[in-house]
Amino acid sequence: MQSGIALDEELICAVCHDIFVEPVTLPCGHNFCETCVQQLKKMSLGRRRKLEFTCPLCLAPCDTRIHLKKNVVLHNIIEKYHQLHLSSGSGSGDIPCSVCKGQQRLPAEKSCVSCGESYCTLHVMPHLENEFFRQHVLVKPTTDTSRLCKEHGKDLELYCKTDRTPLCVYCMLPAEAEHLAGHDVVKLGETVNIVKADCQATLASIKESCSEVTASLLKMEESVSFAKEDLKRQQYTGFLNKIKLFLTIEEEAWQKRFSVDMMLDSRRIKCKVENLKLLQGRLQEAKEALEKALILQDPLTLLQLMKTADWSDLFQREVCSSKIQKVMDSVNSPSSIFKRRPPVFGSLAGVFPGDEIKLDPKTAHPQLQLSEECTAVCVTCDKHVDDNNSERFSSSYCVLGSNAFKRGLHYWEVTVRDLASWALGIAYHSISRDPPGCNLGSDDKSWALSYSDSTGQLCAQHDQHVFSFTTERAPEKIGLFLDKDSGIFSFYNADVLKCLYTFYCDLKWPVFPVFCPKLVKDGKFVSAAMKIENPGFV
């Protein structure tokens, strides 16, 4: 026996790990299947583009152009090896090995119920030596292992109605007690009507689920269509010119934010549609299979069909219906797009009369002179105050508004006519009053738009973000629009109703309007005043 196993090992190709088929000999003396050598040549020419390949055993080089001769002696030994096993009668003879290659496969020695394959004396060895395969049930060679018990290898002749499982007679032994106490076991031949009745009930449930999925898909399509039409109806139209401008600013900002929500909602609905269509496909497949099952007479085939794992969750009407309802509940929930509607819709009439802004004298630079109404400011050569007030700007010619913007929409206009340089914006109350953070827009506590005659440019600045751009002519009146809740802060030319720049901020705390009638300290002196106006709306 040991010599037989040793001989078997000598007849194995080192490439395909099976008995040689048309063996050829390399110049190094090692033998391989002719098809295996051809594969080695293709790999060498295809990947490395070399005219030689190496022997898998000794790594000796071999020219791909050399004509390899067939090993006649080894071929004859293999032929006699096959004839010896055929004449020995060790296998069935009628059932060939499922693993053997070549035209003349060895007869099967055993069939494995667990694997559903038949093996010759050589290929059955893993089932005898490997611990994992030892748990498999080996029987005499057979072509249909599906009709055998996977635990005992015996014919399936009984049926447990309680577990809906086919059994063999060995399953009814006292040692296999799980099918004895309280279980209803009958002959397999008596189960056709039972299984068909189950199929009929399950088919009715599947049809109901299919109808529900179809109706749900229609509702989802209507929901998507309605959402698109509803977005179209949300156009900002029908207002006066100034309102149109602010709505355009609001629209551009919210379009950017809506696009993310729309993409997420679209993906969410698409995912739900795909899930429902997948469920619909599975239900349709189960329905067709069950309809065909009603025609079958073989009880074992019916049982195997009913035990299909992919359909087990569809057989219960309540479970399937709950899956569909769960999907529809998530679809019918309000879209995040409409939860984030701009507050401008509900507050235009009351918010847009414009803000009454007064300047705060406590924060004004010593050389700034405020009007009696605290609505205008200009730069003077002399200091008007000389105190140690910590809220006062000591370096930049700035002054804060007296009231903070905590929420809502705000709008004010500032006349900058005849000013050589200026800056406007908003800032937290904690903005530095001393260099270097006292300059508007120079840190993360303020947002500003500035202009200088010397450069002829406008400059939008916040912290490290600086954007300079030219303008045809210096604007004389600047409008400022702030949506505190949304973080939209925009500047526009109030004379021609043209937007100059828009910040998209993350405003965490209340902000104050800031005014700077002179940007460059060593620039030419201008006595013109910067005036704050309440624009109002007609």
Side-chain angles (χ1 to χ4, degrees):
M1 186 65 179
Q2 294 296 329
S3 63
I5 295 176
L7 178 59
D8 291 344
E9 293 176 352
E10 291 297 328
L11 300 181
I12 298 297
C13 174
V15 176
C16 62
H17 302 289
D18 211 335
I19 297 176
F20 287 115
V21 176
E22 300 296 331
V24 294
T25 304
L26 300 185
C28 61
H30 291 116
N31 299 294
F32 302 95
C33 300
E34 184 178 12
T35 55
C36 294
V37 173
Q38 294 298 331
Q39 187 65 25
L40 292 174
K41 290 182 178 181
K42 288 181 180 179
M43 292 175 61
S44 178
L45 293 172
R47 296 181 181 178
R48 297 182 294 271
R49 298 186 179 278
K50 293 183 178 180
L51 296 179
E52 62 179 27
F53 63 96
T54 57
C55 173
L57 292 177
C58 66
L59 302 181
C62 180
D63 196 328
T64 57
R65 296 167 294 184
I66 190 173
H67 177 68
L68 300 176
K69 295 183 178 180
K70 178 179 177 181
N71 192 324
V72 180
V73 175
L74 183 57
H75 180 270
N76 293 337
I77 293 175
I78 295 171
E79 289 292 329
K80 291 181 180 180
Y81 176 81
H82 283 299
Q83 293 174 5
L84 177 63
H85 280 73
L86 287 172
S87 62
S88 64
S90 58
S92 167
D94 296 331
I95 301 174
C97 176
S98 305
V99 185
C100 285
K101 299 192 307 179
Q103 297 179 352
Q104 191 174 20
R105 294 188 292 171
L106 295 178
E109 176 74 17
K110 293 287 183 179
S111 292
C112 178
V113 178
S114 303
C115 299
E117 302 287 350
S118 298
Y119 303 100
C120 64
T121 304
L122 177 63
H123 291 121
V124 80
M125 294 305 295
H127 284 74
L128 302 177
E129 298 175 353
N130 190 293
E131 288 292 338
F132 175 77
F133 289 112
R134 283 183 184 177
Q135 300 176 5
H136 290 196
V137 179
L138 297 176
V139 297
K140 291 182 179 180
T142 178
T143 57
D144 190 3
T145 58
S146 64
R147 305 188 73 87
L148 300 178
C149 177
K150 293 189 179 297
E151 294 184 12
H152 306 104
K154 301 300 180 181
D155 290 333
L156 296 171
E157 302 175 350
L158 305 174
Y159 176 67
C160 179
K161 296 169 63 177
T162 306
D163 294 337
R164 297 185 177 184
T165 304
L167 310 171
C168 71
V169 292
Y170 278 57
C171 295
M172 298 303 298
L173 293 175
E176 309 288 343
E178 62 174 307
H179 294 288
L180 293 179
H183 284 223
D184 188 4
V185 179
V186 298
K187 292 182 180 180
L188 186 62
E190 301 175 2
T191 62
V192 174
N193 293 332
I194 298 174
V195 177
K196 284 192 174 183
D198 290 342
C199 285
Q200 192 70 40
T202 306
L203 179 60
S205 175
I206 292 292
K207 288 181 178 179
E208 290 183 15
S209 297
C210 286
S211 300
E212 188 173 356
V213 169
T214 302
S216 299
L217 287 171
L218 289 175
K219 289 182 179 179
M220 292 182 69
E221 291 176 358
E222 292 175 358
S223 175
V224 173
S225 176
F226 175 78
K228 291 179 179 179
E229 293 299 324
D230 193 58
L231 285 175
K232 292 179 180 178
R233 289 193 293 270
Q234 294 183 39
Q235 303 299 323
Y236 309 115
T237 56
F239 296 99
L240 299 175
N241 288 337
K242 288 185 178 180
I243 297 179
K244 287 183 179 180
L245 172 66
F246 298 131
L247 289 177
T248 300
I249 296 170
E250 191 81 18
E251 181 182 16
E252 292 175 353
W254 280 93
Q255 283 288 1
K256 294 181 179 179
R257 298 183 180 180
F258 278 158
S259 63
V260 177
D261 290 337
M262 290 173 63
M263 179 183 66
L264 294 177
D265 278 6
S266 177
R267 287 182 179 177
R268 179 174 63 89
I269 294 177
K270 182 179 179 181
C271 181
K272 300 300 181 183
V273 169
E274 290 177 353
N275 289 340
L276 276 181
K277 287 186 177 181
L278 180 61
L279 178 59
Q280 184 184 40
R282 294 180 63 213
L283 288 169
Q284 185 66 28
E285 181 182 0
K287 183 185 74 171
E288 294 174 359
L290 290 170
E291 287 175 343
K292 293 180 180 178
L294 293 175
I295 306 174
L296 300 176
Q297 298 299 324
D298 182 15
L300 185 58
T301 304
L302 286 173
L303 289 172
Q304 292 173 346
L305 178 64
M306 295 298 291
K307 294 289 286 185
T308 301
D310 290 342
W311 298 339
S312 58
D313 60 326
L314 305 180
F315 289 167
Q316 297 183 18
R317 177 73 177 90
E318 296 78 10
V319 175
C320 192
S321 181
S322 65
K323 290 183 178 181
I324 300 172
Q325 189 60 42
K326 184 178 180 181
V327 173
M328 294 307 299
D329 289 343
S330 64
V331 173
N332 293 330
S333 61
S335 171
S336 59
I337 299 175
F338 303 106
K339 291 180 181 178
R340 298 181 61 181
R341 284 192 178 189
V344 66
F345 285 120
S347 53
L348 271 176
V351 172
F352 276 100
D355 287 86
E356 292 282 353
I357 296 178
K358 300 290 184 179
L359 301 175
D360 185 0
K362 300 190 303 295
T363 63
H365 184 276
Q367 288 183 238
L368 291 183
Q369 182 177 3
L370 276 59
S371 65
E372 293 183 4
E373 300 82 7
C374 291
T375 57
V377 57
C378 63
V379 182
T380 62
C381 297
D382 301 324
K383 292 185 178 181
H384 295 275
V385 292
D386 191 5
D387 55 20
N388 295 322
N389 181 13
S390 60
E391 293 188 33
R392 191 179 304 282
F393 286 90
S394 62
S395 179
S396 59
Y397 298 107
C398 292
V399 57
L400 295 180
S402 58
N403 296 324
F405 297 142
K406 298 179 180 179
R407 60 177 58 87
L409 302 175
H410 303 274
Y411 166 67
W412 63 102
E413 290 182 356
V414 181
T415 298
V416 293
R417 186 185 303 112
D418 299 329
L419 292 178
S421 64
W422 50 264
L424 296 170
I426 56 175
Y428 296 134
H429 193 271
S430 59
I431 182 175
S432 176
R433 271 47 169 187
D434 302 308
C438 61
N439 294 324
L440 282 184
S442 61
D443 59 12
D444 60 353
K445 297 180 179 180
S446 59
W447 294 257
L449 179 72
S450 59
Y451 174 79
S452 174
D453 276 343
S454 60
T455 61
Q457 288 186 326
L458 290 164
C459 178
Q461 184 173 1
H462 169 67
D463 200 8
Q464 302 298 321
H465 174 77
V466 180
F467 178 69
S468 299
F469 54 99
T470 58
T471 179
E472 294 181 1
R473 53 177 296 182
E476 297 184 351
K477 183 183 291 186
I478 300 296
L480 295 91
F481 168 73
L482 172 65
D483 185 343
K484 175 64 172 60
D485 300 319
S486 304
I488 302 169
F489 182 43
S490 184
F491 300 85
Y492 79 98
N493 188 323
D495 292 323
V496 297
L497 295 181
K498 178 181 179 182
C499 183
L500 300 174
Y501 191 82
T502 299
F503 286 103
Y504 302 98
C505 323
D506 182 14
L507 302 176
K508 301 177 181 179
W509 299 285
V511 292
F512 292 79
V514 191
F515 307 88
C516 178
K518 184 177 182 181
L519 186 64
V520 184
K521 289 194 68 173
D522 56 355
K524 64 180 180 179
F525 178 80
V526 176
S527 60
M530 176 181 283
K531 300 177 182 180
I532 306 169
E533 300 181 9
N534 180 3
F537 283 87
V538 179

